[in-house]
Amino acid sequence: MTKIVAIVGSPSHPSRTYGIVEYALNLLAENGFEIDIISVRDLPSEDLIFGRYNSPALEPAKALIQAASGLIIATPVYKAAYTGVLKSFLDLLPPKFLSGKVILPIATGGTIAHLLSIDYTLKPVLSELGAEYLLNGVYVVDKQIQRQEDNSFLFDEEIQQRLQKSIQDLEQAIKII
């Protein structure tokens, strides 16, 4: 069974970003993919802050990534870039660690002004980590996601369609590679 792992760089939970990832992973699970999620906020903060590359606590997350054929890397956008907690984690991955994996970046932000943050801030770091198969990212404006009273999320129809298309692209790219 093909494995897809989502890495969520949101420092809060529940979050819009996490809600989008859950939606995407549910689509993948319905299509027979094995799925898993790494919420970077749940990793040991001291390991991230002090750059502990060889921390045993990070090994399970690294093993999940290594076993995956595809990755979803999702982050809210703050100050025109992905989160610092995500950057701290990515900095601890070995060189070329993402080589051979299909990657779908997803970002959420307060305004459309940060639309290009995926291309200008996230993709260069992923490329440095060996990512060769970077799909077009999905950027979602916060107002396109409504939080429900039960902390679930409702997405605008247009966002659902874009996510479904991006998930199809991810599935197809994994089959080709």
Side-chain angles (χ1 to χ4, degrees):
M1 184 179 286
T2 305
K3 185 176 192 76
I4 307 290
V5 172
I7 302 170
V8 181
S10 180
S12 61
H13 187 79
S15 69
R16 290 176 178 90
T17 306
Y18 200 93
I20 287 174
V21 167
E22 286 179 323
Y23 179 82
L25 290 177
N26 286 335
L27 293 173
L28 289 160
E30 289 171 5
N31 292 335
F33 287 86
E34 182 183 342
I35 58 169
D36 219 320
I37 192 164
I38 299 167
S39 183
V40 179
R41 71 182 297 277
D42 295 334
L43 298 174
S45 59
E46 285 191 5
D47 290 342
L48 299 175
I49 292 168
F50 293 114
R52 295 181 180 146
Y53 293 93
N54 295 322
S55 167
L58 298 179
E59 291 308 311
K62 290 179 181 179
L64 285 174
I65 294 168
Q66 198 164 31
S69 298
L71 299 172
I72 295 173
I73 300 181
T75 182
V77 174
Y78 301 137
K79 308 289 187 204
Y82 54 93
T83 62
V85 69
L86 179 60
K87 176 71 163 109
S88 295
F89 178 64
L90 294 175
D91 284 348
L92 297 179
L93 298 178
K96 306 302 179 196
F97 198 65
L98 303 181
S99 181
K101 304 192 182 313
V102 178
I103 300 173
L104 172 62
I106 298 175
T108 59
T111 71
I112 197 71
H114 300 297
L115 173 68
L116 295 176
S117 62
I118 292 172
D119 292 331
Y120 290 136
T121 64
L122 186 56
K123 283 187 175 181
V125 172
L126 299 177
S127 293
E128 180 65 24
L129 287 168
E132 307 152 278
Y133 309 108
L134 280 164
L135 300 175
N136 289 327
V138 178
Y139 181 80
V140 182
V141 178
D142 288 348
K143 68 181 178 182
Q144 296 173 303
I145 309 165
Q146 291 77 43
R147 185 187 308 253
Q148 306 300 297
E149 288 184 23
D150 65 354
N151 280 329
S152 65
F153 294 93
L154 183 63
F155 308 107
D156 288 359
E157 179 67 27
E158 185 251 342
I159 294 305
Q160 290 180 36
Q161 291 172 1
R162 286 178 42 217
L163 285 169
Q164 289 168 2
K165 170 71 169 91
S166 294
I167 293 302
Q168 288 173 352
D169 292 346
L170 177 63
E171 291 172 356
Q172 290 299 317
I174 288 170
K175 289 178 185 174
I176 293 170
I177 296 171

